[in-house]
Amino acid sequence: MVASSERPTVETSISSFGLARSTVQGTPLSPDELWKMHAFWRAANYLAVGMIYLRDNPLLREPLKDEHIKQRLLGHWGSSPGIAFLYTHLNRIIKKFDQDMLFMVGAGHGAPGFLGPCYLEGTYSHYFSQCTEDVEGMKRFFKQFSFPGGVGSHCTPETPGSIHEGGELGYSISHAFGAAFDNPDLIVVTMPGDGEAETGPLATSWHSNKFLNPIRDGAVLPVLHLNGYKINNPTILARISHEELESLFRGYGWTPYFVEGSEPESMHQALAATLDHCVSEIKRIQHEARSTGVATRPRWPMIVLRTPKGWTCPGEIDGHKVEGFWRSHQVPMGSMHGNEEHKRILESWMRSYKPEELFDENGKVFPYIREVAPEGNKRLGSTPYANGGLLRRELNMPDFRQYGIPVDRPGVVEAENTRPLGVFLRDVMKNNMSSFRIFGPDENTSNKLNAVYEVSKKFWIAEFLPEDLDGGELSPDGRVMEMLSEHTLEGWLEGYLLTGRHGFFSTYESFAHVIDSMVGQHAKWLEICRHINWREEVSSLNLLITSTVWRQDHNGFTHQDPGFLDVMLNKSPEVVRIYLPPDVNSLLSVANHCLQSEDYVNVIVSDKQMHLQYHDMDAAIRNCTKGIDIWEWASTDAGEEPDVVLATAGDIPTKESLAASVMLREAFPDLKIRFVNVIDLFKLTPATEHPHGLSDSDFDSLFTTDKPIIFNFHGYPWLIHRLTYRRTNHENLHVRGYKEKGNINTPLELAICNQIDRFSIAIDVIDRVPKLKNAGAHTKEQLKDEQIACRNYAFEHGIDRPDIVNWKWPY
């Protein structure tokens, strides 16, 4: 039963010690059940300490010696007992309700608290066959933790049952909601730490409860773990009053339930009663919505679990408080070798868990402890939801060719590049209404993807106003997820993908930096998974980067930043792909490929404004398949050796270089120009460095070994140099790109500021081609005059000259 509103005074205490204080009262555990669960928890804590400290003598069959203890003591103890405590209780809930469940540990280094129970339930030995359930297996289990060639101290990809590493704090709740979307039978229990709760992404992600549909989605049960300290500082939420903390979460729209204390027996009973109540409440909410067919926003339950930092470790070591203080955060006690007192304390600590009552003489956990855990795929370490490739089904894809636009002549027709993509995504959504979602921070209409609303609106289950019916595109059945938090959206998408579904994310280019570290962490996860034979492939993370730098002339300097590409270039070449399709049909071809790919981070750069179109559909497919190609129609070398190579990557740089080539052809009819366009950016890298890279011979045949290359690039120019510095002709490669110049400009003026405009490119060719250095002097001066005239026109009229705006390919 729920406690009355008249609370005992002790409940306002922020102390983590003492008898349990809980919102929900009751003692649901029988004496036998309580004994077994406490034994399971003791065993998990014993294993956690062993992982941190021991490499031998796992069951303390002899007094501890230096050779039994690891030389480097790594790992984090502080949060581990609380994590294991919750894991123990989730086992009971799974069995009682026959519940599908996924447990997500938010604490950055909380792996010991998760790995111990995973070993006890038998899952760990299944995936790591060398870590058998005996003395030798336990010894290997201890040794490999935070050990070279072993596993890390986070819940890494090697951790069975995990889709969330926590290496970068802040995403446990958003990942949990992503996992719950479209999984109606699943409860995701996520355990953010109170240090993690101080991050911006986590603070925003509490609002995810406004985006869960109780009819079609599963549920998320957050258990905020307040153990009071970070590395060596108090945590904010652990030091505010009980009343203020409760008000905070009620303000977020949750119903918070508190479980606080340290005395084991009462804490077991309190957490069991609280979980019973919360899960029953979740099922009541879902039953009501599913039986009536009416989806409304409930106040979902959440739990605040306050326990001591380093719970059950020695209270004091070397005259310093440890349990319940920051000194228990990582390794509570170092300097083990040659320190007999520390070895005595460690042995006494481990023996306090009574290992003789937990493991038999062969080192196998006693059956009465094992039976606390569920069986088979119901085990938290074995749930298929944590290995989403097992659940993944291929998308039912429409034929992308049917969404293209006719292009009879290159460089004449104009179209908004992303609008047809929106129509294509609309039908991808229509064909996959339970496994595909679109994510974007309030920008899908701005990014011209709004055709998707024809089949599915923006999800909205909060309050409706009458005016929302006039273009609001809101619905509690919507599958387009919009929230002005790139962090939360990215977390939702990652959780959605890692549990076996498909998604698409679009955002403004300059604001992709908000999530560049999140995407980087996801790329790291995918890279490790490639080397784990039991991890099945998941759908790729697809990012459309639009509203790009060269069409942010109206928004100004803050919106001009193509640097997300530089960040992604740092990640593993096995995982990252970057595409710059210059027009509608190539964008459709790229998107079709990316949506069907697995285990990649695909970055697609395409602006949303009107742009010239160059490829018919057949040409688009051919050029996207090759990734880099000579545009014969824009070249004049006709199989001969060129005088200059004009290379481009990106829509506006391509247009400006084409315009430059026309001016050069008119001024110098005998000039041999080769025009090369790059769609797949990694084609520029050597084949030895990236799977998509060109061989040196192929690169040389395209770019020559000695002719000047004027490369007009969408992003920062040094990125191209970084990709090509080992190529034969690199010294003749001259790159133009964004140079942090610009503000409120016209499009051409912004290009001129950064020297990617047609005049600068043409002048560069004159400067670099030997036969033009003298002969081209008159033309060069004329180009400078035109450039000045264009800038003056922009300053006077606020727009570019009509001949610039309306320029078309003339041949």
Side-chain angles (χ1 to χ4, degrees):
M1 60 178 286
V2 180
S4 69
S5 59
E6 293 184 4
R7 303 194 168 177
T9 305
V10 70
E11 284 199 22
T12 63
S13 169
I14 61 172
S15 170
S16 59
F17 287 96
L19 290 169
R21 308 174 301 277
S22 62
T23 311
V24 178
Q25 302 297 300
T27 55
L29 302 178
S30 69
D32 181 64
E33 197 171 21
L34 175 61
W35 163 253
K36 291 176 180 178
M37 291 180 68
H38 187 57
F40 188 98
W41 183 50
R42 283 160 43 211
N45 288 339
Y46 181 88
L47 294 174
V49 180
M51 278 183 267
I52 294 171
Y53 282 97
L54 299 186
R55 58 178 296 170
D56 203 349
N57 191 19
L59 286 175
L60 305 180
R61 296 286 168 78
E62 57 179 300
L64 279 178
K65 301 176 183 177
D66 283 352
E67 57 264 31
H68 300 153
I69 299 172
K70 294 177 179 178
Q71 294 288 338
R72 291 199 310 161
L73 301 178
L74 302 172
H76 287 60
W77 166 253
S79 296
S80 293
I83 293 167
F85 191 68
L86 181 56
Y87 196 123
T88 302
H89 280 263
L90 295 181
N91 285 335
R92 171 181 169 273
I93 292 295
I94 292 169
K95 294 173 69 174
K96 177 176 179 177
F97 291 92
D98 191 27
Q99 178 63 52
D100 290 346
M101 188 169 282
L102 180 63
F103 182 26
M104 207 167 290
V105 173
H109 294 270
F114 193 95
L115 294 174
C118 193
Y119 179 82
L120 293 174
E121 72 184 18
T123 296
Y124 199 87
S125 298
H126 172 76
Y127 289 110
F128 293 86
S129 56
Q130 74 275 21
C131 295
T132 48
E133 297 180 64
D134 53 28
V135 175
E136 283 302 310
M138 189 185 297
K139 173 182 171 181
R140 287 188 283 268
F141 176 61
F142 285 176
K143 181 181 176 181
Q144 75 171 18
F145 176 77
S146 283
F147 203 84
V151 300
S153 61
H154 306 263
C155 288
T156 63
E158 294 93 341
T159 302
S162 175
I163 65 164
H164 173 84
E165 178 164 340
E168 181 183 24
L169 298 176
Y171 316 129
S172 60
I173 293 177
S174 56
H175 281 163
F177 274 88
F181 294 150
D182 292 316
N183 271 329
D185 299 326
L186 180 66
I187 295 178
V188 187
V189 177
T190 178
M191 194 178 196
D194 47 355
E196 183 186 14
E198 296 178 8
T199 64
L202 195 101
T204 302
S205 68
W206 289 113
H207 287 299
S208 298
N209 57 9
K210 287 90 173 171
F211 292 86
L212 205 63
N213 183 317
I215 298 175
R216 69 181 184 203
D217 298 329
V220 175
L221 178 60
V223 181
L224 174 64
H225 191 199
L226 293 186
N227 57 35
Y229 295 90
K230 305 184 284 285
I231 294 175
N232 64 349
N233 270 301
T235 56
I236 295 170
L237 295 187
R239 292 292 182 93
I240 63 177
S241 72
H242 193 291
E243 180 184 17
E244 186 178 353
L245 188 62
E246 182 175 9
S247 297
L248 174 68
F249 289 108
R250 290 193 180 278
Y252 272 125
W254 298 89
T255 299
Y257 297 92
F258 288 79
V259 178
E260 305 168 289
S262 64
E263 193 280 319
E265 181 175 332
S266 62
M267 285 294 287
H268 279 297
Q269 294 285 12
L271 185 56
T274 302
L275 284 170
D276 280 351
H277 177 81
C278 290
V279 173
S280 296
E281 180 66 6
I282 287 170
K283 292 189 174 297
R284 182 197 63 77
I285 291 168
Q286 292 175 335
H287 175 74
E288 180 177 320
R290 294 169 187 180
S291 61
T292 63
V294 178
T296 57
R297 182 171 77 90
R299 281 186 168 269
W300 296 96
M302 58 89 64
I303 297 171
V304 178
L305 177 64
R306 191 192 301 270
T307 63
K309 189 84 167 178
W311 196 9
T312 72
C313 78
E316 183 179 295
I317 299 174
D318 296 336
H320 297 290
K321 181 179 175 63
V322 179
E323 184 190 23
F325 197 45
W326 58 259
R327 283 192 171 87
S328 65
H329 176 75
Q330 293 175 290
V331 178
M333 176 175 57
S335 303
M336 300 300 297
H337 291 82
N339 190 324
E340 297 305 315
E341 175 61 14
H342 280 194
K343 285 196 287 289
R344 184 195 65 77
I345 293 172
L346 175 60
E347 184 170 342
S348 175
W349 175 14
M350 295 188 72
R351 289 193 185 281
S352 72
Y353 300 117
K354 302 180 180 179
E356 66 279 2
E357 296 179 358
L358 311 174
F359 306 97
D360 66 20
E361 61 182 12
N362 296 315
K364 187 177 179 65
V365 66
F366 283 121
Y368 76 87
I369 295 176
R370 168 64 63 81
E371 70 183 33
V372 170
E375 298 180 353
N377 288 343
K378 290 291 186 181
R379 292 175 296 178
L380 289 171
S382 297
T383 175
Y385 293 102
N387 192 2
L390 294 171
L391 304 175
R392 180 182 182 270
R393 298 294 178 266
E394 297 289 340
L395 284 171
N396 178 7
M397 294 289 289
D399 183 357
F400 73 95
R401 299 169 183 83
Q402 303 304 312
Y403 301 84
I405 63 172
V407 179
D408 298 326
R409 286 176 50 204
V412 176
V413 176
E414 284 192 317
E416 295 168 313
N417 284 349
T418 58
R419 194 173 294 281
L421 174 65
V423 181
F424 175 58
L425 292 173
R426 175 198 68 190
D427 291 350
V428 174
M429 178 90 77
K430 181 180 179 181
N431 292 353
N432 303 273
M433 287 295 279
S434 63
S435 60
F436 178 77
R437 295 200 185 198
I438 289 174
F439 302 79
D442 188 36
E443 295 167 0
N444 284 299
T445 297
S446 173
N447 292 335
K448 313 299 174 65
L449 302 178
N450 46 300
V452 298
Y453 302 139
E454 296 171 19
V455 296
S456 185
K457 306 298 185 184
K458 308 170 193 176
F459 181 83
W460 190 258
I461 204 169
E463 293 298 321
F464 278 77
L465 298 176
E467 53 267 34
D468 292 328
L469 297 174
D470 183 16
E473 306 289 5
L474 305 178
S475 170
D477 295 321
R479 306 186 57 76
V480 180
M481 311 302 290
E482 296 194 15
M483 178 182 178
L484 201 51
S485 167
E486 289 89 347
H487 283 122
T488 303
L489 291 161
E490 173 67 19
W492 288 349
L493 174 57
E494 290 176 4
Y496 199 65
L497 299 176
L498 290 169
T499 46
R501 281 72 63 74
H502 309 260
F504 192 86
F505 190 117
S506 70
T507 189
Y508 287 7
E509 181 176 57
S510 58
F511 303 136
H513 278 301
V514 174
I515 56 169
D516 57 18
S517 61
M518 286 187 76
V519 178
Q521 291 290 329
H522 186 74
K524 290 174 182 290
W525 178 278
L526 293 177
E527 167 63 14
I528 296 298
C529 286
R530 285 178 168 269
H531 306 286
I532 302 173
N533 58 13
W534 50 269
R535 284 280 183 186
E536 299 293 332
E537 290 83 3
V538 296
S539 301
S540 296
L541 179 66
N542 300 307
L543 296 168
L544 173 65
I545 307 301
T546 187
S547 296
T548 55
V549 55
W550 304 111
R551 283 297 178 264
Q552 289 299 324
D553 43 86
H554 58 298
N555 279 327
F557 196 44
T558 58
H559 284 53
Q560 299 163 6
D561 189 340
F564 185 74
L565 300 185
D566 299 72
V567 174
M568 296 316 298
L569 201 70
N570 296 326
K571 304 310 170 189
S572 169
E574 298 299 320
V575 172
V576 174
R577 304 288 183 266
I578 299 174
Y579 302 101
L580 293 97
D583 58 7
V584 165
N585 291 335
S586 58
L587 173 59
L588 288 167
S589 179
V590 166
N592 178 72
H593 166 75
C594 292
L595 285 170
Q596 297 181 81
S597 67
E598 299 172 333
D599 280 357
Y600 294 139
V601 173
N602 295 312
V603 180
I604 308 169
V605 182
S606 180
D607 189 58
K608 64 188 182 183
Q609 306 292 357
M610 297 291 288
H611 290 276
L612 289 174
Q613 303 299 304
Y614 309 110
H615 299 92
D616 63 25
M617 186 55 75
D618 289 340
I621 295 170
R622 181 180 68 250
N623 284 0
C624 290
T625 302
K626 294 170 70 174
I628 184 171
D629 200 16
I630 296 173
W631 283 7
E632 298 289 352
W633 56 268
S635 302
T636 61
D637 57 335
E640 300 180 37
E641 190 173 23
D643 296 312
V644 65
V645 177
L646 291 182
T648 65
D651 39 36
I652 293 300
T654 296
K655 176 183 177 180
E656 291 301 309
S657 289
L658 286 170
S661 75
V662 170
M663 293 187 293
L664 290 166
R665 289 167 70 165
E666 292 174 351
F668 311 105
D670 296 331
L671 184 68
K672 303 299 182 184
I673 300 172
R674 178 176 295 172
F675 200 97
V676 176
N677 179 254
V678 180
I679 292 177
D680 181 347
L681 197 60
F682 283 108
K683 287 293 181 182
L684 299 175
T685 61
T688 56
E689 301 301 318
H690 195 281
H692 288 197
L694 291 176
S695 66
D696 284 338
S697 60
D698 285 346
F699 188 93
D700 291 344
S701 69
L702 285 172
F703 291 99
T704 78
T705 58
D706 58 357
K707 295 298 186 288
I709 307 163
I710 312 301
F711 200 122
N712 214 15
F713 178 51
H714 171 85
Y716 291 108
W718 38 89
L719 185 150
I720 299 299
H721 286 294
R722 177 180 168 189
L723 292 173
T724 59
Y725 78 97
R726 290 169 53 187
R727 298 297 193 178
T728 303
N729 199 24
H730 181 254
E731 67 178 40
N732 287 316
L733 174 64
H734 309 283
V735 185
R736 296 288 171 256
Y738 184 66
K739 296 166 63 176
E740 289 290 305
K741 304 291 184 182
N743 202 339
I744 304 300
N745 312 100
T746 64
L748 181 64
E749 188 202 355
L750 179 61
I752 292 171
C753 287
N754 291 278
Q755 298 179 303
I756 74 148
D757 64 290
R758 60 197 68 189
F759 307 111
S760 295
I761 297 300
I763 290 169
D764 215 7
V765 171
I766 294 171
D767 287 342
R768 305 294 181 183
V769 176
K771 68 181 182 180
L772 299 183
K773 284 187 176 180
N774 294 324
H778 294 283
T779 300
K780 183 176 175 181
E781 293 308 309
Q782 291 169 4
L783 293 171
K784 290 180 179 179
D785 291 344
E786 277 292 285
Q787 192 178 59
I788 292 170
C790 285
R791 297 193 73 172
N792 289 339
Y793 186 94
F795 289 148
E796 181 178 354
H797 298 281
I799 57 174
D800 287 321
R801 286 187 341 201
D803 62 307
I804 299 295
V805 174
N806 299 318
W807 183 89
K808 303 288 190 295
W809 181 251
Y811 300 111

